[in-house]
Amino acid sequence: MTTPTFPHDFLWGAATSAFQIEGSRTADGAGESVWDVFGRQPGAVEGGGDGSLACDSYRRWPEDVAILEELGLRAYRFSIGWSRVMPDGHRVNEAALDHYERIVDALVEAGIDPVVTLNHWDMPQALMADRGWIGRSTVDAFVAYAQAVAHRLGDRVQHWITQNEPWIIQLLGYQLGLHAPGIVDLAGSVVAGHHVLLGHGRAADAIKQVVPGAQVGVALSLFPCEPATGSEADREAAWASDGYVNRWYLDPLHGRGYPKDTRELWDGILLREGADFTLDDVILPGDEEQIGGRTDFVGVNYYTRRVCAAAPVTAERPFPWAVVGPTGDVPRTDEGWEVRPESFDALLRRLHDDYGAPRIMITENGGVYGDAPTHDGKVHDNRRIEYLRSHLRAVLSAREAGVDVFGYMQWSLLDNFEWALGYRPRFGIVHVDYPTGRRTPKDSALFYAQVVRSGVVPDEDPAHLPFG
Ligand code: IFM
């Protein structure tokens, strides 16, 4: 039996996002983003951290590019600061585009494919005048922004990601208020989610008008929803939860319109909430056509699964399921998330089987492990090596089964600002000493570089091997 390997042209990369790494919040005429404002609310961010310095990448980006080069990576997924490019939501700030153009040029020069995300959550605060994504006018503002970036960078950028994690924007930003803009509005959240998807479809068209050969995708946070038991009720609960988290985005993107069961669920919720609108007032004729069929690749952000059980709807729980697990002694990251590569493999196969064999880029995958530099100055993050190894094996297994995964962007290149959790969780394969900005590639980075070089992923835990 031959060992499965990745092909030579596999797109190996690592990912970051603007607000999480850049700092320099007002440089070059940048406008305020919703995260600047949200982060100032007492208690919004653990430890009181904000984005003012982060990894200082707005100034130190040449070091980041050099690290990518040293590791032999062939792609860098990073995001453009929306509020830098459109400080008041509408006017283009050329100085910000100059900045990103310099990064793109350096990447291309180094033979690294820039994978550009347009909205990684840092929308201009000015767009809150129409309630952010709840307002339909934000879709127009987003399209104008996408056009401006495509005009400037389109001749050098092939891979575009319009939106990062529509469900997380909807859930944490507009339903629970745990992320910027901090809105708690269950009924409004479904409106926001629809506008995020519409923004994807319309921005994809706009990018392709400017750059006919562009490959445009959207990065979805996909969580396999698995039933807690074999009971019919739990299976139904898991399917309903899958509708809320996964199918609500996947179906319309693949030209099927919103799934009927989840649409009914939302209409019931709007009624119970006393909303003065139904989904028919929000999803206007033609919208689903503008969302569907524009995705050249599906971006998959995978971290873990959800284990669901049937549960009664209550005032606190508007949905007929509860996320109950996993429980017990399962492997977990330092953030408590279950390490579950087999669900990753199953997810990729499911996308292939249920959605017409789409092209897939893994746009995020990684784990929180808090290992710090030891006396030898190195970071021996063996558990992250094992996380990476097992998830890359899952990708290989799915590819062997015919799933068209063409790239993998590890999350994250750098330890960085983890949103409401501040700087405590460390996702990076490169350690960042925040007070000095010093970057130290961890053992996992060296392991990853070896996989990238060889295309081979060891079939057992190599944690005992010396990567440091
Ligand atoms: O850090 C985030 C990223 O910005 C979006 N996806 C999930 C990551 C880890 O929580």
Side-chain angles (χ1 to χ4, degrees), residues 17 20 120-121 164-165 301 303 337 364 411 416-419 427:
S17 87
Q20 292 179 275
H120 204 121
W121 308 352
N164 187 65
E165 300 187 349
N301 292 5
Y303 289 92
W337 298 4
E364 288 182 26
W411 185 271
N416 60 48
F417 177 72
E418 178 55 16
W419 307 112
F427 271 101

